[in-house]
Amino acid sequence: RKVLIAGGSGFIGSVLKQQLQKHGFETCIVSRMPRPDSITWDDLNQNGIPDGTDAVINVAGQNVLDPMRRWTPGFKQNVIASRVHTNQMLVKVINQCDSQQKPKVFASISGVGYYRPDAIQIYDENSTGGDHDFLSKLCTDWEKASKVGDDHTRNVTVRSGIVLGKNGGIIQQMYPLFFLGLGAKIDSGTQHMPWIHIEDICNIFIQALRNEKFTGVINAVAPEIVTNEQFTKTFARLLRRPSFLFIPAQIIEFIFSSERAVMMTQGQKVISKRMEELGVQIKYPTIEEALKNILK
Ligand code: NDP
């Protein structure tokens, strides 16, 4: 069983690749760079999906919260293209396969930024969203671009909370500050922060390949809903560091510009009805358990 992973060199993609191999899948990455066990986007465009590919996963995407990159029209275009165009390309090559050769599943990631930030409202997969700001519209276009529109290939959209893991994402960005005792909540810290442990999201992708009941949108979030302050306090406590500082929203907006600062300064309460219905077992249901595992 062979899986093509676009973005398989990244934080989520590399753990996903390892986990898939552990479960006996063969993997091949799509990358911008020539690498071992991978093909480039040009190869994919010219030669189509490698023979014998049973499933395709897209976890590619330019890092939106790269503090070194200014939020210019050019960078925004990169952010869009690396998600929407990669999905479009994958759908195109999937549709070029003969119906017998078509991968059985196309699973693509998206984000909970789809839902409008709100302190009270609880969102599940049936809630509306995807049209209130740049990032929510990006999620809509990203998800739309992943639709194969064909009975041979099952579509799964994994709408993910912040992914917590060792070698990338928010933990890697924040670890040095927390280690130095400079861990700080963002603004009031009352904004909610939907999250999931990296092993748990990889497990959702793997189950999505195996189980035909996995279709459509699945929110990938841990059951414990936390605020930014609860996350900050737990992170600092487990490192035995103080956490009495806070960063005003204006500073985050100054560094990142307000359009992407919303990812940190605002939040939403998100639950996953679909994970419950599908009986997905979560290995790290609480922020305490997840961070303990990551920081050990
Ligand atoms: P990483 O930045 O670690 O990896 C993403 C991969 O995408 C890279 O390895 C890179 O592969 C590829 N990529 C980067 N820029 C571009 C580009 N301009 N064009 C094409 N490909 C590009 O990201 P994560 O693993 O953290 O996230 C993966 C995806 O999941 C992203 O789309 C992200 O928005 C989404 N997501 C992530 C969350 C998180 O908390 N990390 C939460 C919710 C969603 P290569 O260099 O090999 O081409």
Side-chain angles (χ1 to χ4, degrees):
R1 294 167 304 169
K2 194 151 137 191
V3 186
L4 190 66
I5 317 170
S9 62
F11 164 52
I12 300 172
S14 54
V15 175
L16 181 59
K17 180 181 140 186
Q18 274 173 16
Q19 300 278 335
L20 281 164
Q21 289 175 349
K22 249 197 215 159
H23 282 81
F25 290 91
E26 218 183 293
T27 58
C28 174
I29 285 176
V30 190
S31 171
R32 289 166 299 172
M33 305 274 286
R35 306 167 181 270
D37 306 326
S38 82
I39 58 172
T40 64
W41 289 98
D42 277 344
D43 296 333
L44 186 73
N45 193 23
Q46 277 167 28
N47 309 323
I49 299 259
D51 283 347
T53 300
D54 296 303
V56 178
I57 296 178
N58 189 8
V59 285
Q62 178 92 41
N63 180 6
V64 178
L65 286 180
D66 184 344
M68 309 310 281
R69 302 292 299 268
R70 286 198 309 120
W71 195 234
T72 59
F75 182 63
K76 278 160 89 164
Q77 200 46 47
N78 266 346
V79 165
I80 299 171
S82 60
R83 293 173 173 78
V84 178
H85 295 175
T86 54
N87 268 347
Q88 284 168 345
M89 166 75 81
L90 290 164
V91 167
K92 185 188 95 173
V93 290
I94 288 172
N95 284 328
Q96 281 167 354
C97 297
D98 294 337
S99 47
Q100 298 313 315
Q101 303 285 317
K102 279 202 170 147
K104 310 263 178 317
V105 193
F106 176 36
S108 172
I109 200 163
S110 169
V112 292
Y114 179 86
Y115 306 110
R116 186 189 285 276
D118 194 288
I120 298 157
Q121 179 86 35
I122 296 181
Y123 296 107
D124 64 33
E125 290 86 347
N126 298 320
S127 307
T128 53
D131 59 2
H132 60 276
D133 64 1
F134 174 84
L135 293 171
S136 68
K137 287 181 192 149
L138 171 66
C139 290
T140 299
D141 295 343
W142 191 4
E143 294 180 9
K144 223 196 229 161
S146 72
K147 298 286 171 289
V148 179
D150 177 294
D151 288 346
H152 297 279
T153 306
R154 185 159 44 84
N155 257 131
V156 183
T157 301
V158 178
R159 207 178 266 161
S160 176
I162 294 171
V163 179
L164 304 182
K166 252 197 186 80
N167 300 316
I170 188 184
I171 299 285
Q172 194 184 46
Q173 280 192 339
M174 292 189 165
Y175 186 86
L177 286 175
F178 277 79
F179 186 79
L180 293 171
L182 299 173
K185 66 182 180 184
I186 293 170
D187 215 44
S188 69
T190 53
Q191 65 278 30
H192 290 96
M193 198 192 105
W195 65 277
I196 186 160
H197 189 286
I198 192 152
E199 277 180 48
D200 284 320
I201 189 169
C202 290
N203 177 41
I204 293 174
F205 275 110
I206 293 171
Q207 290 198 41
L209 305 191
R210 290 180 158 157
N211 186 341
E212 293 197 349
K213 292 201 176 113
F214 282 64
T215 53
V217 176
I218 300 169
N219 286 342
V221 288
E224 188 187 38
I225 297 180
V226 298
T227 61
N228 171 267
E229 180 170 32
Q230 284 169 302
F231 164 77
T232 306
K233 285 224 152 92
T234 313
F235 195 171
R237 176 169 50 75
L238 291 172
L239 282 175
R240 299 201 172 81
R241 299 291 191 277
S243 63
F244 50 79
L245 301 170
F246 79 99
I247 311 173
Q250 291 86 336
I251 292 190
I252 302 282
E253 283 163 6
F254 177 74
I255 298 172
F256 291 96
S257 107
S258 50
E259 224 165 26
R260 57 178 171 163
V262 292
M263 288 173 87
M264 291 174 278
T265 58
Q266 298 182 35
Q268 52 285 91
K269 281 176 151 175
V270 181
I271 59 167
S272 183
K273 267 200 179 149
R274 291 293 286 140
M275 278 171 66
E276 216 178 291
E277 283 164 9
L278 292 160
V280 178
Q281 298 287 324
I282 279 273
K283 192 166 169 194
Y284 303 99
T286 65
I287 197 77
E288 175 96 17
E289 287 166 282
L291 289 176
K292 255 190 192 153
N293 167 266
I294 292 162
L295 298 173
K296 77 172 182 231

XYZ file of all heavy atoms in Angstrom, residues 138-215:
617
model
N -9.184 31.665 3.193
C -8.122 30.769 2.718
C -8.533 29.311 2.967
O -8.395 28.452 2.093
C -6.801 31.086 3.450
C -5.659 30.103 3.226
C -5.184 30.144 1.773
C -4.481 30.418 4.153
N -9.064 29.038 4.172
C -9.507 27.665 4.494
C -10.586 27.214 3.513
O -10.560 26.078 3.037
C -10.047 27.585 5.921
S -8.779 27.766 7.178
N -11.531 28.091 3.209
C -12.607 27.728 2.269
C -12.023 27.362 0.908
O -12.363 26.322 0.330
C -13.601 28.906 2.112
O -14.161 29.162 3.384
C -14.713 28.584 1.132
N -11.129 28.207 0.400
C -10.553 27.954 -0.938
C -9.684 26.694 -0.933
O -9.672 25.928 -1.890
C -9.708 29.156 -1.394
C -10.571 30.391 -1.597
O -11.801 30.250 -1.711
O -10.010 31.511 -1.612
N -8.959 26.511 0.159
C -8.054 25.369 0.335
C -8.872 24.070 0.311
O -8.558 23.113 -0.385
C -7.422 25.583 1.693
C -6.271 24.795 2.184
C -5.549 23.837 1.545
C -5.687 24.956 3.491
N -4.554 23.383 2.382
C -4.619 24.051 3.561
C -5.953 25.764 4.598
C -3.814 23.932 4.720
C -5.155 25.654 5.729
C -4.098 24.749 5.785
N -9.981 24.073 1.074
C -10.832 22.879 1.160
C -11.548 22.622 -0.165
O -11.643 21.483 -0.615
C -11.852 23.044 2.302
C -11.187 23.079 3.664
C -12.163 23.231 4.825
O -13.390 23.147 4.606
O -11.689 23.419 5.973
N -12.023 23.708 -0.797
C -12.722 23.568 -2.071
C -11.789 22.956 -3.119
O -12.189 22.103 -3.906
C -13.155 24.960 -2.535
C -14.557 25.007 -3.096
C -14.737 26.293 -3.860
C -15.994 27.013 -3.461
N -15.927 28.428 -3.865
N -10.537 23.397 -3.090
C -9.569 22.935 -4.096
C -9.212 21.462 -3.918
O -8.591 20.855 -4.787
C -8.303 23.787 -4.020
N -9.613 20.871 -2.778
C -9.246 19.468 -2.540
C -10.327 18.490 -3.020
O -10.158 17.281 -2.904
C -8.994 19.242 -1.038
O -10.216 19.281 -0.333
N -11.420 19.017 -3.569
C -12.528 18.125 -3.949
C -12.248 17.430 -5.277
O -12.056 18.080 -6.296
C -13.843 18.919 -4.079
C -14.282 19.585 -2.791
C -14.830 18.574 -1.790
C -15.082 19.175 -0.428
N -13.892 19.534 0.361
N -12.224 16.111 -5.234
C -11.951 15.334 -6.442
C -13.215 15.207 -7.293
O -13.146 15.182 -8.528
C -11.399 13.941 -6.073
C -11.142 13.108 -7.313
C -10.113 14.085 -5.263
N -14.368 15.147 -6.633
C -15.631 15.106 -7.366
C -15.806 13.834 -8.183
O -16.164 13.882 -9.348
N -15.502 12.699 -7.583
C -15.477 11.442 -8.328
C -15.729 10.312 -7.340
O -15.248 10.355 -6.214
C -14.067 11.343 -8.924
C -13.852 10.063 -9.679
O -13.858 9.001 -9.037
O -13.657 10.143 -10.899
N -16.462 9.265 -7.755
C -16.810 8.181 -6.833
C -15.640 7.269 -6.485
O -15.689 6.543 -5.500
C -17.918 7.306 -7.446
C -19.232 8.048 -7.448
O -19.307 9.078 -6.746
O -20.164 7.609 -8.153
N -14.601 7.301 -7.302
C -13.485 6.378 -7.067
C -12.573 6.825 -5.928
O -11.875 6.024 -5.338
C -12.642 6.232 -8.338
C -13.403 5.634 -9.465
N -13.605 4.276 -9.579
C -14.037 6.208 -10.504
C -14.329 4.045 -10.657
N -14.604 5.198 -11.234
N -12.536 8.135 -5.678
C -11.605 8.655 -4.663
C -12.388 9.339 -3.547
O -13.102 10.315 -3.776
C -10.612 9.656 -5.309
O -9.989 9.020 -6.412
C -9.546 10.103 -4.319
N -12.232 8.800 -2.336
C -12.926 9.354 -1.164
C -12.184 10.609 -0.707
O -10.964 10.607 -0.618
C -12.919 8.281 -0.071
C -13.671 8.582 1.169
C -13.999 7.282 1.909
N -12.872 6.369 1.972
C -11.901 6.403 2.882
N -11.937 7.312 3.836
N -10.921 5.525 2.856
N -12.950 11.675 -0.420
C -12.344 12.934 0.039
C -12.438 13.084 1.560
O -13.518 12.897 2.124
C -13.108 14.125 -0.557
C -12.391 14.777 -1.715
O -12.974 15.015 -2.757
N -11.118 15.069 -1.571
N -11.322 13.407 2.188
C -11.341 13.686 3.629
C -10.638 15.022 3.861
O -9.557 15.258 3.324
C -10.604 12.589 4.432
C -10.693 12.864 5.928
C -11.159 11.204 4.117
N -11.273 15.903 4.636
C -10.650 17.179 5.007
C -10.417 17.175 6.513
O -11.375 17.080 7.280
C -11.584 18.359 4.655
O -11.837 18.329 3.255
C -10.963 19.689 5.032
N -9.155 17.240 6.907
C -8.820 17.238 8.340
C -8.614 18.694 8.767
O -7.589 19.304 8.478
C -7.556 16.377 8.596
C -7.172 16.422 10.063
C -7.806 14.935 8.153
N -9.669 19.261 9.408
C -9.629 20.678 9.802
C -9.006 20.749 11.198
O -9.653 20.485 12.203
C -11.071 21.195 9.807
C -11.199 22.657 9.562
C -12.656 23.066 9.549
N -13.279 23.095 8.246
C -14.600 23.071 8.048
N -15.439 23.015 9.067
N -15.097 23.122 6.822
N -7.727 21.111 11.233
C -6.941 20.899 12.453
C -6.802 22.116 13.353
O -6.681 23.246 12.882
C -5.538 20.421 12.034
O -4.723 20.284 13.157
N -6.767 21.830 14.660
C -6.362 22.828 15.640
C -4.834 22.942 15.600
O -4.175 22.287 14.786
N -4.273 23.741 16.497
C -2.810 23.902 16.557
C -2.185 22.556 16.892
O -2.590 21.899 17.857
C -2.449 24.947 17.626
C -2.961 26.322 17.188
C -0.955 24.986 17.891
C -2.853 27.384 18.251
N -1.211 22.149 16.091
C -0.613 20.828 16.283
C 0.580 20.954 17.233
O 1.496 21.749 17.005
C -0.179 20.225 14.925
C 0.453 18.864 15.131
C -1.383 20.122 13.992
N 0.533 20.161 18.320
C 1.598 20.213 19.319
C 2.518 19.010 19.166
O 2.064 17.866 19.189
C 1.002 20.221 20.732
C -0.001 21.345 21.039
C -0.463 21.243 22.496
C 0.603 22.713 20.779
N 3.798 19.275 18.973
C 4.780 18.204 18.830
C 6.165 18.778 19.039
O 6.334 19.999 19.144
N 7.149 17.874 19.084
C 8.504 18.275 19.460
C 9.227 19.154 18.440
O 9.773 20.180 18.792
C 9.332 17.000 19.641
C 9.648 16.695 21.057
C 10.791 15.698 21.144
C 10.999 15.303 22.577
N 10.077 14.296 23.086
N 9.255 18.696 17.204
C 10.223 19.298 16.285
C 9.651 20.298 15.297
O 10.106 20.391 14.170
C 10.959 18.182 15.526
C 11.678 17.274 16.494
O 12.307 17.763 17.432
N 11.543 15.971 16.309
N 8.665 21.044 15.702
C 8.113 22.034 14.788
C 6.913 22.713 15.386
O 6.601 22.543 16.574
N 6.260 23.536 14.580
C 5.038 24.201 15.011
C 5.256 25.152 16.173
O 6.367 25.634 16.432
N 4.189 25.386 16.898
C 4.179 26.402 17.960
C 5.164 26.063 19.095
O 5.797 26.948 19.667
C 2.734 26.572 18.483
C 2.604 27.733 19.440
C 2.248 25.345 19.151
C 1.212 27.872 20.061
N 5.290 24.771 19.431
C 6.157 24.405 20.557
C 7.616 24.761 20.227
O 8.313 25.365 21.043
C 6.054 22.896 20.884
C 4.627 22.531 21.284
C 7.050 22.492 21.977
C 4.191 22.948 22.654
N 8.040 24.428 19.017
C 9.419 24.741 18.640
C 9.647 26.260 18.640
O 10.688 26.744 19.081
C 9.720 24.177 17.257
C 11.205 24.170 16.963
C 11.480 23.709 15.544
O 10.847 24.148 14.590
N 12.423 22.806 15.409
N 8.644 27.010 18.170
C 8.802 28.469 18.133
C 8.851 29.063 19.540
O 9.578 30.018 19.793
C 7.642 29.103 17.349
C 7.858 29.011 15.841
C 6.873 29.872 15.034
O 5.804 30.239 15.531
N 7.212 30.175 13.805
N 8.080 28.493 20.457
C 7.971 29.116 21.783
C 8.942 28.559 22.825
O 9.167 29.195 23.845
C 6.549 28.944 22.309
C 5.562 29.733 21.517
S 3.982 29.677 22.364
C 3.126 31.000 21.549
N 9.482 27.366 22.567
C 10.299 26.696 23.582
C 11.428 27.587 24.129
O 11.585 27.699 25.354
C 10.855 25.375 23.033
C 11.583 24.564 24.064
C 10.882 23.686 24.893
C 12.954 24.704 24.247
C 11.547 22.967 25.870
C 13.623 23.992 25.218
C 12.911 23.119 26.027
O 13.570 22.418 26.994
N 12.224 28.239 23.250
C 13.332 29.029 23.792
C 12.870 30.101 24.773
O 13.483 30.293 25.828
C 13.958 29.672 22.542
C 13.512 28.826 21.396
C 12.172 28.274 21.777
N 11.764 30.769 24.473
C 11.253 31.812 25.366
C 10.827 31.219 26.706
O 11.164 31.734 27.771
C 10.052 32.515 24.725
C 10.379 33.474 23.578
C 9.093 34.003 22.955
C 11.227 34.635 24.087
N 10.087 30.111 26.648
C 9.629 29.467 27.889
C 10.819 28.957 28.685
O 10.862 29.068 29.908
C 8.637 28.337 27.578
C 7.239 28.824 27.367
C 6.861 29.392 26.157
C 6.286 28.736 28.380
C 5.565 29.864 25.955
C 4.981 29.195 28.189
C 4.626 29.763 26.975
N 11.816 28.414 27.981
C 13.000 27.877 28.652
C 13.725 28.986 29.418
O 14.233 28.773 30.509
C 13.930 27.237 27.610
C 15.097 26.542 28.215
C 14.938 25.273 28.767
C 16.339 27.155 28.270
C 16.015 24.632 29.358
C 17.417 26.516 28.869
C 17.253 25.245 29.405
N 13.734 30.184 28.823
C 14.399 31.317 29.477
C 13.520 31.978 30.546
O 13.882 32.995 31.109
C 14.793 32.366 28.426
C 15.867 31.931 27.433
C 16.009 32.947 26.312
C 17.214 31.741 28.153
N 12.372 31.395 30.788
C 11.464 31.969 31.799
C 10.687 33.146 31.248
O 10.120 33.945 32.002
N 10.674 33.290 29.917
C 9.978 34.426 29.301
C 8.655 34.010 28.660
O 8.104 34.724 27.838
C 10.885 35.075 28.233
C 12.202 35.642 28.762
C 13.094 36.088 27.610
C 11.937 36.817 29.698
N 8.171 32.833 29.043
C 6.881 32.360 28.519
C 5.796 33.352 28.903
O 5.738 33.789 30.055
N 4.967 33.735 27.946
C 3.978 34.769 28.228
C 2.658 34.431 27.558
O 2.638 33.930 26.434
C 4.473 36.106 27.697
N 1.568 34.736 28.270
C 0.271 34.586 27.613
C 0.117 35.727 26.613
O 0.811 36.750 26.705
C -0.866 34.574 28.626
C -1.064 35.874 29.353
C -2.196 35.768 30.375
C -2.357 37.104 31.077
N -3.326 37.121 32.140
N -0.788 35.550 25.664
C -0.985 36.591 24.665
C -2.209 37.410 25.043
O -3.305 36.862 25.201
C -1.100 35.978 23.257
C 0.268 35.381 22.883
C -1.534 37.029 22.238
C 0.276 34.550 21.655
N -1.940 38.687 25.289
C -2.983 39.632 25.689
C -3.669 39.127 26.968
O -2.985 38.736 27.900
C -3.955 39.861 24.526
C -4.465 41.290 24.501
O -3.644 42.213 24.679
O -5.678 41.477 24.337
N -5.000 39.074 26.997
C -5.677 38.654 28.234
C -5.508 37.155 28.474
O -5.700 36.666 29.583
C -7.171 38.969 28.136
O -7.757 38.117 27.158
N -5.177 36.407 27.424
C -5.033 34.953 27.552
C -6.368 34.220 27.612
O -6.408 33.004 27.755
N -7.451 34.944 27.493
C -8.767 34.289 27.618
C -9.227 33.656 26.299
O -10.222 32.927 26.278
C -9.859 35.294 28.072
O -9.806 36.413 27.175
C -9.630 35.764 29.493
N -8.533 33.965 25.192
C -8.928 33.389 23.895
C -8.695 31.881 23.899
O -7.699 31.402 24.430
C -8.171 34.070 22.735
C -6.670 33.882 22.666
C -5.890 34.824 23.587
O -6.356 35.229 24.632
N -4.657 35.138 23.212
N -9.646 31.128 23.290
C -9.512 29.674 23.265
C -8.490 29.251 22.237
O -8.210 29.967 21.285
C -10.874 29.022 23.010
C -11.769 29.171 24.188
N -12.706 30.174 24.290
C -11.810 28.468 25.350
C -13.297 30.086 25.458
N -12.783 29.063 26.129
N -7.923 28.066 22.471
C -6.841 27.598 21.611
C -7.071 26.128 21.258
O -6.623 25.245 21.979
C -5.535 27.762 22.402
C -4.310 27.738 21.559
S -2.829 27.588 22.587
C -2.422 25.885 22.300
N -7.815 25.865 20.178
C -8.022 24.468 19.791
C -6.671 23.832 19.450
O -5.855 24.456 18.772
C -8.888 24.569 18.525
C -9.366 25.981 18.460
C -8.380 26.803 19.207
N -6.422 22.610 19.929
C -5.110 21.990 19.757
C -5.269 20.490 19.577
O -6.305 19.908 19.893
C -4.237 22.279 20.989
C -4.806 21.628 22.229
C -5.804 22.127 23.023
C -4.472 20.341 22.767
N -6.100 21.227 24.026
C -5.294 20.114 23.893
C -3.547 19.349 22.405
C -5.233 18.955 24.655
C -3.480 18.187 23.169
C -4.317 18.002 24.287
N -4.206 19.852 19.108
C -4.164 18.386 19.027
C -2.703 17.948 19.057
O -1.821 18.648 18.537
C -4.903 17.860 17.762
C -4.983 16.324 17.772
C -4.233 18.347 16.466
C -6.059 15.750 16.886
N -2.441 16.802 19.694
C -1.073 16.259 19.715
C -0.748 15.676 18.342
O -1.624 15.104 17.684
C -0.992 15.165 20.789
C 0.400 14.683 21.066
N 1.081 13.858 20.194
C 1.251 14.904 22.096
C 2.289 13.589 20.690
N 2.411 14.225 21.848
N 0.496 15.812 17.923
C 0.876 15.384 16.575
C 0.602 13.897 16.321
O 0.184 13.519 15.228
C 2.346 15.757 16.274
C 2.631 15.565 14.781
C 3.347 14.983 17.128
C 3.683 16.440 14.211
N 0.798 13.054 17.343
C 0.528 11.619 17.137
C -0.957 11.388 16.864
O -1.318 10.510 16.091
C 0.903 10.812 18.396
C 2.360 10.463 18.468
C 2.636 9.661 19.737
O 1.922 8.689 20.041
O 3.583 10.059 20.455
N -1.799 12.183 17.537
C -3.244 12.004 17.357
C -3.705 12.446 15.966
O -4.551 11.792 15.367
C -4.019 12.750 18.459
C -3.956 12.003 19.790
O -4.051 10.765 19.764
O -3.809 12.653 20.836
N -3.141 13.538 15.453
C -3.581 13.951 14.103
C -3.054 12.957 13.061
O -3.760 12.614 12.106
C -3.215 15.418 13.771
C -3.917 15.810 12.464
C -1.739 15.667 13.636
C -3.874 17.263 12.132
N -1.843 12.456 13.263
C -1.320 11.461 12.307
C -2.195 10.212 12.331
O -2.483 9.626 11.288
C 0.128 11.120 12.628
S 1.227 12.507 12.271
N -2.646 9.847 13.516
C -3.531 8.689 13.645
C -4.853 8.905 12.891
O -5.379 7.980 12.268
C -3.777 8.431 15.139
C -4.733 7.291 15.357
O -4.669 6.277 14.671
N -5.654 7.463 16.298
N -5.362 10.137 12.894
C -6.603 10.426 12.152
C -6.361 10.211 10.653
O -7.167 9.584 9.967
C -7.089 11.867 12.428
C -7.519 11.991 13.889
C -8.249 12.246 11.497
C -7.877 13.390 14.323
N -5.236 10.716 10.156
C -4.929 10.513 8.727
C -4.821 9.014 8.406
O -5.342 8.557 7.396
C -3.620 11.216 8.349
C -3.798 12.675 7.999
C -3.332 13.675 8.830
C -4.427 13.041 6.807
C -3.494 15.021 8.494
C -4.591 14.385 6.464
C -4.124 15.371 7.312
N -4.147 8.266 9.277
C -3.947 6.838 8.989
C -5.290 6.104 8.996
O -5.577 5.312 8.110
C -2.939 6.224 9.987
C -1.563 6.843 9.746
C -2.872 4.698 9.838
C -0.521 6.513 10.777
N -6.122 6.412 9.988
C -7.439 5.770 10.021
C -8.273 6.170 8.811
O -9.060 5.379 8.302
C -8.169 6.142 11.301
C -7.543 5.505 12.518
C -8.511 5.516 13.694
O -9.694 5.266 13.550
N -7.995 5.815 14.865
N -8.092 7.420 8.357
C -8.853 7.900 7.198
C -8.503 7.084 5.946
O -9.327 6.925 5.057
C -8.579 9.373 6.957
N -7.286 6.579 5.882
C -6.895 5.770 4.725
C -7.554 4.395 4.790
O -7.886 3.812 3.763
C -5.376 5.581 4.666
C -4.502 6.831 4.672
C -3.060 6.473 4.348
C -5.000 7.870 3.685
N -7.745 3.901 6.018
C -8.201 2.515 6.188
C -9.698 2.366 6.268
O -10.239 1.318 5.945
C -7.622 1.975 7.499
C -6.136 1.773 7.431
C -5.655 1.254 8.760
N -4.391 0.560 8.606
C -3.525 0.391 9.580
N -3.793 0.873 10.777
N -2.412 -0.244 9.369
N -10.375 3.394 6.770
C -11.782 3.255 7.124
C -12.660 4.091 6.184
O -12.556 5.318 6.158
C -11.950 3.719 8.582
C -13.333 3.491 9.098
O -14.273 3.327 8.324
N -13.479 3.497 10.417
N -13.527 3.422 5.451
C -14.346 4.112 4.449
C -15.360 5.068 5.047
O -15.949 5.885 4.338
C -15.074 3.071 3.592
C -14.110 2.287 2.755
C -14.774 1.561 1.613
O -16.024 1.501 1.603
O -14.041 1.067 0.746
N -15.557 4.935 6.375
C -16.519 5.844 7.021
C -15.931 7.251 7.170
O -16.656 8.202 7.457
C -16.902 5.299 8.393
C -17.712 4.026 8.286
C -18.501 3.776 9.552
C -19.378 2.560 9.417
N -18.951 1.467 10.303
N -14.632 7.380 7.024
C -14.008 8.702 7.105
C -14.248 9.413 5.773
O -13.623 9.085 4.760
C -12.499 8.587 7.355
C -12.124 8.275 8.773
C -12.489 7.073 9.357
C -11.395 9.171 9.547
C -12.148 6.772 10.664
C -11.041 8.887 10.849
C -11.418 7.688 11.419
N -15.177 10.387 5.807
C -15.439 11.187 4.603
C -15.720 12.621 5.045
O -16.110 12.858 6.189
C -16.703 10.706 3.859
O -17.770 10.673 4.794
C -16.531 9.344 3.232
